[in-house]
Amino acid sequence: MNGLKQRIDALRTQLIEHNYRYYILDNPQIGDAEYDRQLRELVSLEQELGEPVPADSPTQTVGAPVSSTFAARVHGEPLLSLANAFEDDEVQAFVRRVCEAIGAASPRFIIEPKVDGLAVNLRYEQGQLSIAATRGDGTTGEDVTDNIRTISDIPWQLNTAGLPVPDVLEVRGEVYMSKQAFAALNERQDAEGASPFANPRNAAAGSLRQLDARVTARRGLCFFAYGAGLGGRELAASQSQLLARLADFGFAVQQTAMADGVDELLAHYHMLQQQRPELPYEIDGVVYKLDDFALQSRLGAVARSPRWAIAHKFPAEEVQTTVRDIIWQVGRTGVITPVADMQPVAVGGVMVSRATLHNIDELRRKQVYAGARVIVRRAGDVIPEVVGAVDVDPDACMPVIPEVCPACQASVFRIEGEVAIRCSGGLSCPAQLTERLCHFVSRGAMDIEGMGDKLIARLVDEGLLASIADVYELDYSALGGWQGMGEKKIANLQAAVAESKNRTLARFLHALGIRHVGTATATGLASHFGELDAVMGADEEALLSVPDVGPEVAASIRSFFAEAHNRDVIHRLLAAGVQPAAVKLAASNHPLAGKTVVLTGSFASIQRRLAQEQLRALGVKPAGSVSKNTDVLIAGEKAGSKLSKARELGVEIADEVQLIAWLNWQ
Ligand code: IVH
């Protein structure tokens, strides 16, 4: 039982981190297929455990919390996600469920291509676009109105042709980048020495979440409308009618088809799969939706997805190629990873020649060696993956595990219980230094545009960067005359470095590359402690009170800050003017500031844990149990003993509507 709980915890932590990387950083580390596998495993383990599933489990939530760069906007109605089907029998089961629930033999379905971009919610008031927000966690998204206004598929004003429209109408759809615009963007990225986007979806997300809307405008984003939130039901009685109205309003909508049963759904799926390569934009499957709104309402939704719709995903494209060599790559923490260097091959629309094999166990399991014929796929069209070797030659030479680091020749060691092998060279290993620097300046960290991997490698080679602190003490005059480093480039780089000095504390902590501190943990630390000194000085007990920080993570944080050379680097960074923006912990004029508040039950429009985090940021003291010291109890659905206790003690009781008002209080 304990093992089961541990695995559930591990999966929840991983999935939260993946959500964050996918939705906030636009930089996923695993493909859709692997994500879905982990999510399915979690769903089944939660069922096996048979205990109530917490509202903040990734099986119950959509997306990830919003980042702090854009203003948060609460959607009028939550944005749901879709359950996935991969096999025909899963589609059959879906149709059967729908038929049983509504007691009809063959209800009408509408089939829509599933565009691979990112969902946005467009709020129209009296027909005028007022707020555009990303999906965020489904309840609260990021305000990207200025950026959305640059997309010509989105009308600023609805073309109502004199017909009445709801006072408030939320139009939902997908912002995406065409294959052509994607290729052109990556060419520009390459020419500028910036890292390319992995796929059009990441490129679209990255382009929409620009602080400068002029950058978005240059990226040529497009939009398809596929649904509505508030006001939608006043507009139409079915999905097909809704799409027709949205098209009349001036939105781009996709070509759809109607179907009466599983056979027709599947036939259309196969047809679209054939057409997929010719489409000017990426689709990753099709969506089947029950057409009639009244029937949809009867089916309702479970946790994160409606029961009246399902996404039928296309399988990841698989191709074969030959492994030229196995390369041992040294990461920023010294982990040495086997990487397959392959004969370049096109898969999922992108040329692939490298794929990580993660660790020695996987290398052995997949039987990959120099000369092996392997199957490669881009799962979810993100990261290339070697599925395995075909026709393994029994006499082939299996790769030899290195005894010394390929970058610095220091000895290699293996921590007990871990599969990874590591270099013992620390920062004296140029590979670790380079990787650490690449991580430090990367998009999710200090985000220094123009300081790409190639430039960093050269700066390390030339001895201009020997520590992350050197980033802010660079001798720019030494770069004059370097290939690709014109005067303007150098000036831009200098400006980007200067601009990065005020990144958030969360980004700064993440950038330091502390073991086990990914973006989610860094965000948790920043919002819990508020400022750098507090994190640096935190003892184990204080660290353990941060959500998601367990003993191993706490130990890693403590040992990082205990190292004199790490503290030294931080002091140099601060002395150079880096000022991790402290999180505002107390909004002294907020009605709840300084008050002790308990949240109980579940809330329809926000996860409880997220609400707690947001309240904490407003200066509220969230507590776990009701006592005479509790100032306010905010009760959601199914509130139980805490509510009765609060009543007994005469504690002020508030509901979800009040909670949302407090969260939006300005
Ligand atoms: S409907 C309640 N229709 O897929 C239904 N979603 O995996 C909500 N997507 O968040 C979505 N094309 O970003 C719908 N024709 C389509 C879609 C579509 C792409 C995306 C959307 C959604 C995700 C769900």
Side-chain angles (χ1 to χ4, degrees):
M1 191 57 119
N2 244 347
L4 184 62
K5 278 194 171 159
Q6 259 175 9
R7 179 72 188 143
I8 290 179
D9 279 350
L11 281 168
R12 284 185 186 149
T13 313
Q14 273 169 31
L15 285 161
I16 289 170
E17 181 98 24
H18 293 324
N19 280 342
Y20 192 87
R21 294 195 136 271
Y22 183 105
Y23 290 103
I24 303 290
L25 302 180
D26 312 323
N27 184 16
Q29 254 181 352
I30 57 166
D32 283 6
E34 177 57 19
Y35 178 88
D36 284 321
R37 196 197 59 70
Q38 291 184 11
L39 190 63
R40 279 169 186 230
E41 186 185 344
L42 181 57
V43 170
S44 86
L45 294 184
E46 284 178 343
Q47 267 168 7
E48 197 180 316
L49 186 66
E51 288 181 3
V53 178
D56 56 1
S57 166
T59 56
Q60 311 297 307
T61 61
V62 180
V66 292
S67 94
S68 55
T69 354
F70 296 88
R73 295 288 182 195
V74 178
H75 308 307
E77 272 180 20
L79 271 75
L80 298 178
S81 187
L82 290 169
N84 288 328
F86 293 91
E87 306 294 338
D88 291 2
D89 59 356
E90 293 172 275
V91 178
Q92 263 151 5
F94 161 73
V95 174
R96 212 176 311 121
R97 275 198 308 274
V98 171
C99 292
E100 276 166 17
I102 60 175
S106 61
R108 302 215 81 190
F109 288 97
I110 180 165
I111 308 172
E112 299 171 12
K114 186 169 184 302
V115 202
D116 206 5
L118 71 152
V120 292
N121 184 42
L122 311 173
R123 184 182 169 98
Y124 286 84
E125 292 177 25
Q126 266 74 40
Q128 298 266 12
L129 177 62
S130 60
I131 296 167
T134 59
R135 173 166 73 172
D137 64 0
T139 306
T140 313
E142 294 175 321
D143 189 325
V144 286
T145 314
D146 292 341
N147 309 47
I148 281 290
R149 285 186 197 280
T150 68
I151 302 176
S152 58
D153 294 329
I154 297 176
W156 291 24
Q157 175 147 30
L158 301 178
N159 174 17
T160 58
L163 292 171
V165 276
D167 287 347
V168 176
L169 174 66
E170 289 182 319
V171 175
R172 271 93 194 256
E174 198 85 347
V175 169
Y176 67 96
M177 188 177 277
S178 72
K179 290 177 185 169
Q180 206 180 4
F182 172 68
L185 171 61
N186 268 355
E187 256 174 46
R188 287 202 302 274
Q189 291 283 107
D190 192 43
E192 288 164 13
S195 37
F197 289 95
N199 56 40
R201 179 183 54 208
N202 296 141
S207 303
L208 189 63
R209 296 176 67 259
Q210 289 287 329
L211 287 174
D212 181 351
R214 286 170 303 182
V215 179
T216 310
R218 285 198 292 271
R219 300 273 172 96
L221 292 175
C222 303
F223 177 81
F224 279 127
Y226 58 61
L230 278 182
R233 304 275 147 145
E234 290 171 49
L235 217 56
S238 67
Q239 172 71 4
S240 44
Q241 272 181 18
L242 175 71
L243 292 178
R245 283 293 318 257
L246 293 174
D248 290 343
F249 284 158
F251 289 100
V253 295
Q254 297 194 89
Q255 236 186 28
T256 58
M258 306 303 291
D260 283 332
V262 180
D263 294 345
E264 281 180 39
L265 292 178
L266 296 179
H268 202 83
Y269 169 85
H270 291 296
M271 196 183 79
L272 269 169
Q273 196 175 4
Q274 298 279 311
Q275 290 174 358
R276 183 182 185 194
E278 274 81 57
L279 283 179
Y281 54 91
E282 290 283 357
I283 59 173
D284 59 346
V286 296
V287 186
Y288 309 132
K289 298 176 183 171
L290 188 60
D291 192 40
D292 187 294
F293 282 167
L295 295 180
Q296 283 185 6
S297 304
R298 275 171 52 192
L299 273 146
V302 276
R304 46 189 265 151
S305 24
R307 291 167 64 212
W308 45 262
I310 200 162
H312 190 181
K313 301 285 271 289
F314 293 136
E317 190 191 345
E318 292 188 346
V319 294
Q320 287 197 10
T321 186
T322 306
V323 174
R324 293 191 290 213
D325 200 1
I326 303 292
I327 294 164
W328 296 89
Q329 202 165 285
V330 192
R332 75 185 144 88
T333 53
V335 172
I336 303 175
T337 312
V339 174
D341 171 42
M342 302 169 293
Q343 201 67 42
V345 64
V347 48
V350 172
M351 290 304 280
V352 166
S353 61
R354 290 259 167 126
T356 172
L357 293 157
H358 301 290
N359 54 54
I360 302 163
D361 288 2
E362 186 162 322
L363 176 76
R364 293 209 177 110
R365 190 166 53 79
K366 293 186 170 170
Q367 298 192 286
V368 182
Y369 52 91
R373 192 85 190 136
V374 287
I375 299 174
V376 180
R377 73 167 166 221
R378 293 183 69 220
D381 298 319
V382 185
I383 293 140
E385 175 192 9
V386 175
V387 182
V390 281
D391 304 330
V392 175
D393 176 357
D395 299 327
C397 258
M398 286 298 160
V400 183
I401 296 156
E403 285 176 4
V404 293
C405 168
C408 73
Q409 268 64 53
S411 61
V412 161
F413 67 102
R414 192 168 175 164
I415 297 176
E416 223 187 279
E418 275 194 13
V419 277
I421 54 169
R422 292 170 191 278
C423 157
S424 59
L427 281 187
S428 64
C429 170
Q432 285 190 48
L433 175 62
T434 308
E435 288 297 319
R436 192 169 273 250
L437 282 160
C438 289
H439 169 76
F440 184 76
V441 306
S442 66
R443 246 186 263 152
M446 299 304 271
D447 193 12
I448 303 182
E449 212 168 323
M451 197 173 274
D453 299 3
K454 281 187 209 147
L455 179 60
I456 287 182
R458 173 134 194 221
L459 290 166
V460 170
D461 264 2
E462 304 273 343
L464 289 167
L465 287 183
S467 145
I468 54 174
D470 293 341
V471 169
Y472 295 93
E473 294 166 10
L474 250 188
D475 173 10
Y476 293 94
S477 66
L479 313 189
W482 284 20
Q483 205 199 344
M485 291 304 291
E487 241 171 68
K488 180 134 188 275
K489 264 274 177 68
I490 296 176
N492 286 346
L493 179 65
Q494 201 165 356
V497 168
E499 194 254 344
S500 75
K501 288 181 177 173
N502 294 314
R503 295 282 178 254
T504 57
L505 178 57
R507 276 171 174 271
F508 180 78
L509 289 171
H510 175 49
L512 292 176
I514 307 168
R515 247 182 113 211
H516 300 309
V517 178
T519 41
T521 309
T523 308
L525 289 169
S527 57
H528 186 84
F529 291 106
E531 54 187 24
L532 179 61
D533 276 351
V535 185
M536 288 178 72
D539 59 16
E540 185 177 5
E541 197 190 337
L543 288 168
L544 289 176
S545 63
V546 180
D548 286 340
V549 174
E552 200 185 349
V553 182
S556 162
I557 298 168
R558 300 246 304 143
S559 68
F560 181 90
F561 291 118
E563 293 265 353
H565 69 92
N566 287 335
R567 283 203 309 272
D568 223 44
V569 165
I570 294 173
H571 291 139
R572 275 182 63 200
L573 287 167
L574 300 180
V578 175
Q579 246 185 346
V583 177
K584 210 170 75 196
L585 282 180
S588 53
N589 52 354
H590 191 279
L592 290 183
K595 295 206 169 160
T596 303
V597 174
V598 175
L599 285 114
T600 187
S602 60
F603 300 98
S605 52
I606 189 162
Q607 294 168 33
R608 193 167 67 212
R609 215 181 94 189
L610 191 65
Q612 261 162 358
E613 284 296 316
Q614 293 187 3
L615 284 172
R616 185 177 281 125
L618 291 166
V620 178
K621 285 186 259 165
S625 56
V626 177
S627 71
K628 60 179 181 359
N629 298 328
T630 310
D631 292 306
V632 182
L633 175 91
I634 307 180
E637 280 288 299
K638 300 211 184 90
S641 57
K642 288 184 192 170
L643 180 58
S644 354
K645 182 145 187 218
R647 284 202 181 113
E648 252 169 54
L649 294 174
V651 169
E652 181 185 339
I653 294 165
D655 63 5
E656 180 168 353
V657 176
Q658 182 62 59
L659 167 68
I660 299 297
W662 276 327
L663 291 178
N664 288 326
W665 194 84
Q666 285 180 345

